[in-house]
Amino acid sequence: FADQQRNARVTCEGIADVLAAGYRVVLTHGNGPQVGNALLRSELSQPELPPVRLDECDAETQGEIGYLLQQTLDNVLAERRWNVSVVSMVTQVVVDPCDPAFRNPTKPIGPFYAFEEALDRKRKMNWEMIEDSGRGWRRVVASPRPLEIVELDAVRACLGAGAVVIAAGGGGIPVVRRAGRLEGVEAVIDKDRVSALLARNLHAKLIVFSTCVDRVAVRFGRPDQRPLAQMSWHEAQGHLREGEFPSGSMGPKIEAALEFL
C-alpha cells in the first residue's frame, strides 16, 4: 500500500495541474492487481471462508483504490491551498446478460496455477481456465461491453457541485437488469471502454489516458520504434487495424479514444 501511495502522489500532482488549467475532472482507474490479490486471499482462506464473488471484488477494490486516490488528492490540494472536494463513488455498470462475452470468457484474472490445480478448480468450481503465455493456467471470465452507468446522475450532481469525482473504477461493477432489479454478475468490464462511455455521457471536452510510457508509438519495442506526437482518427484506426496497438496493452486505449471521438 505504501508503494501505491507513492504512485498515487505522482498521479494526483498531475490531476491538480489539470484542475489548475481550468478543467473539471472525473477520474477512473484500473484494479487488475488488486482484484488478483483479493481472489488470492479468498483462495488461501478456503475452506474456512466462502469464496468471494467477482462483482464483490470489483466493489471492494473500487472502495480501496477510491480511498487511496481521494485521500492523496485531498492532501495535494490542501498543500496548494485549494478548497476542492474529492468524492469516490462505488459505481455499477449495466451489461447485456446475452452479451456473447458470457459464452466466450477471455479475460484472465487472479493467480497462476499448475495444470493439475487448474483442472481441479475447473472440475470443482466450474471455472473456465486457459494457459497464459507460458506462465501457468489462469481463470478467465467474461468481459462484456458496458451499456449504462447506473450512477451517472450522481456523478453529474457531484461535478455540478464543484467536486472532483472518482467513478467507474476498474471498469465498474458489472450488473444486469432482471425484472426491474439490478443483479451483480461474474465479469470484468474493460476500464478504457467504461471511461469512453462515461466521457461521452458527460459530454466531456477531453479524455486522457495516463500510461507508463511517454508516447504512443508504432513498431513499439523494435529498433525502428517511432513515437507519435499526434494522430488523426483515420490514422489511429489504420494503425489499430494493422496490429500496431496490441489488445493486451495500448489497443483498448486507442479503441476507447476512437469511440469517444
Side-chain angles (χ1 to χ4, degrees):
F1 195 74
D3 289 339
Q4 293 182 59
Q5 286 176 310
R6 283 189 288 272
N7 292 333
R9 175 77 193 200
V10 176
T11 297
C12 289
E13 291 283 0
I15 293 165
D17 291 341
V18 173
L19 287 167
Y23 290 97
R24 293 184 297 165
V25 172
V26 178
L27 180 65
T28 67
H29 59 78
N31 67 345
Q34 290 82 4
V35 163
N37 288 343
L39 290 170
L40 183 56
R41 285 195 296 270
S42 178
E43 282 285 299
L44 294 174
S45 67
Q46 291 184 39
E48 284 76 15
L49 296 173
V52 178
R53 285 173 50 94
L54 194 50
D55 53 326
E56 289 180 63
C57 287
D58 290 330
E60 176 185 321
T61 54
Q62 269 195 27
E64 175 191 347
I65 302 168
Y67 157 66
L68 169 71
L69 292 171
Q70 181 176 317
Q71 184 182 82
T72 306
L73 188 54
D74 274 334
N75 290 336
V76 168
L77 295 176
E79 290 166 13
R80 299 193 185 197
R81 289 179 164 73
W82 292 351
N83 185 24
V84 179
S85 296
V86 184
V87 59
S88 49
M89 193 174 295
V90 175
T91 314
Q92 302 170 95
V93 176
V94 175
V95 299
D96 184 350
C98 298
D99 191 301
F102 287 108
R103 295 192 301 273
N104 182 32
T106 57
K107 182 76 170 177
I109 61 167
F112 293 87
Y113 299 99
F115 178 67
E116 292 77 12
E117 291 178 297
L119 277 181
D120 186 56
R121 277 158 178 76
K122 183 177 177 69
R123 193 165 46 243
K124 289 181 179 176
M125 307 176 80
N126 202 30
W127 285 2
E128 293 289 333
M129 308 291 290
I130 64 163
E131 201 282 323
D132 189 355
S133 307
R135 295 175 293 178
W137 290 75
R138 295 178 79 188
R139 181 185 178 189
V140 286
V141 298
S143 184
R145 180 172 289 274
L147 302 177
E148 173 196 345
I149 295 166
V150 175
E151 289 77 18
L152 181 64
D153 287 344
V155 173
R156 284 199 186 103
C158 290
L159 266 181
V164 175
V165 186
I166 304 165
I173 305 164
V175 298
V176 297
R177 293 191 186 277
R178 290 195 175 104
R181 295 170 55 86
L182 294 172
E183 296 179 13
V185 291
E186 294 250 62
V188 172
I189 304 172
D190 183 86
K191 63 185 181 297
D192 299 313
R193 277 182 167 171
V194 167
S195 297
L197 176 63
L198 181 59
R200 291 200 311 275
N201 288 344
L202 293 173
H203 305 292
K205 299 282 182 63
L206 191 68
I207 186 168
V208 177
F209 298 95
S210 176
T211 74
C212 61
V213 295
D214 292 330
R215 288 277 173 88
V216 174
V218 293
R219 314 293 293 172
F220 183 73
R222 303 173 190 174
D224 57 345
Q225 175 177 315
R226 177 167 61 89
L228 302 172
Q230 61 183 31
M231 286 185 290
S232 70
W233 191 94
H234 291 289
E235 287 170 336
Q237 191 181 45
H239 289 319
L240 187 65
R241 192 166 49 241
E242 292 160 6
E244 290 287 358
F245 306 128
S247 59
S249 56
M250 195 58 71
K253 293 170 176 53
I254 300 297
E255 289 175 350
L258 291 171
E259 287 179 11
F260 170 72
L261 292 173

